[in-house]
Amino acid sequence: EDKVVQSPLSLVVHEGDTVTLNCSYEVTNFRSLLWYKQEKKAPTFLFMLTSSGIEKKSGRLSSILDKKELSSILNITATQTGDSAIYLCAAGLWKDSNYQLIWGAGTKLIIKP
Amino acid sequence: DTGVSQNPRHKITKRGQNVTFRCDPISEHNRLYWYRQTLGQGPEFLTYFQNEAQLEKSRLLSDRFSAERPKGSFSTLEIQRTEQGDSAMYLCASSLGGNFNYGYTFGSGTRLTVV
């Protein structure tokens, strides 16, 4: 069964700290790993990773994929209260000629001022 | 057209009633997805369309659920004889065919509460 597991489930840190969120996957016909940030409403897209070992960066956020370990991490440096959210990862795979996403349950991140 | 639009934003209904949600995807996106999300869980796939064709339905989509995308543009999701377990956020997303570089674009969702 295809599955995506995120850890930790929740994390509380102080502003300015650096956090690392983990995502591991077991899927057939893996194609990509996506990270989303979800605040009160719908998830907003952060990164899509397809190649192992190549870091993607956007401001204080960065992510990297390790296909050998079937995992990805999302780093946030110098955290701010606005980073408080649920961070979701999803594995993209081909199934029956269709591209689909298998989602993790998310990591709830709380940044204290 | 700046994103995926969903209506209504909130819906409270009595158990046993029927409800219908609407999703307007980004106009050039030919794929449209419905997900359901409950508290503490990632989005669960329900169904998806490529243009007007419904290509896949999850086992989660019982006979009480039906989705349409009659002209390949907007889509509706209907739940008949609602049950309390149907209470969730229903998310719609769209994408442009095989261009996955930007993931899926989600709407703000419709939060359904069945009382």
Side-chain angles (χ1 to χ4, degrees):
Chain A
E1 182 185 349
D2 298 322
K3 65 179 180 180
V4 173
V5 178
Q6 292 186 243
S7 64
L9 292 181
S10 64
L11 184 59
V12 181
V13 300
H14 286 99
E15 220 171 5
D17 289 350
T18 293
V19 297
T20 299
L21 310 183
N22 300 285
C23 175
S24 63
Y25 60 91
E26 290 181 34
V27 302
T28 53
N29 297 320
F30 173 83
R31 286 297 179 268
S32 57
L33 193 292
L34 296 92
W35 283 97
Y36 285 78
K37 177 183 182 182
Q38 185 171 26
E39 295 171 269
K40 291 185 178 178
K41 295 175 182 174
T44 54
F45 177 77
L46 295 176
F47 300 109
M48 185 170 104
L49 306 160
T50 55
S51 300
S52 202
I54 299 175
E55 185 182 53
K56 288 204 171 181
K57 284 181 71 78
S58 176
R60 297 177 293 102
L61 277 67
S62 64
S63 184
I64 195 163
L65 176 66
D66 186 337
K67 284 186 176 180
K68 187 176 178 183
E69 296 295 326
L70 305 182
S71 66
S72 174
I73 60 171
L74 175 69
N75 278 322
I76 309 175
T77 59
T79 51
Q80 301 171 358
T81 54
D83 296 326
S84 295
I86 295 173
Y87 290 84
L88 294 164
C89 80
L93 59 121
W94 281 107
K95 180 180 177 184
D96 301 327
S97 302
N98 297 312
Y99 179 77
Q100 298 182 11
L101 296 182
I102 306 295
W103 294 85
T107 293
K108 184 175 184 178
L109 177 63
I110 297 173
I111 311 296
K112 288 188 170 181
Chain B
D1 187 352
T2 57
V4 178
S5 175
Q6 290 189 246
N7 288 290
R9 300 288 287 274
H10 299 96
K11 178 72 177 178
I12 299 174
T13 191
K14 290 185 178 179
R15 192 172 50 186
Q17 297 293 305
N18 299 344
V19 295
T20 300
F21 310 141
R22 176 176 169 129
C23 172
D24 288 88
I26 291 173
S27 57
E28 60 266 30
H29 285 184
N30 60 348
R31 290 192 178 183
L32 185 149
Y33 311 82
W34 284 100
Y35 285 85
R36 180 173 69 186
Q37 188 174 23
T38 52
L39 198 64
Q41 300 296 319
E44 296 174 293
F45 171 76
L46 294 179
T47 187
Y48 97 94
F49 294 83
Q50 178 155 306
N51 299 314
E52 65 274 12
Q54 189 172 18
L55 296 187
E56 182 160 350
K57 292 194 292 186
S58 161
R59 287 171 296 175
L60 292 173
L61 215 64
S62 74
D63 291 344
R64 297 184 297 106
F65 288 70
S66 62
E68 294 183 342
R69 195 183 182 197
K71 297 182 180 178
S73 57
F74 74 91
S75 175
T76 57
L77 177 69
E78 181 183 16
I79 309 174
Q80 296 181 325
R81 303 181 304 282
T82 51
E83 302 172 356
Q84 286 187 320
D86 297 331
S87 295
M89 174 77 86
Y90 289 84
L91 294 168
C92 173
S94 67
S95 69
L96 180 60
N99 180 4
F100 309 121
N101 289 329
Y102 301 100
Y104 296 2
T105 301
F106 281 86
S108 295
T110 294
R111 181 167 294 284
L112 173 67
T113 302
V114 181
V115 296

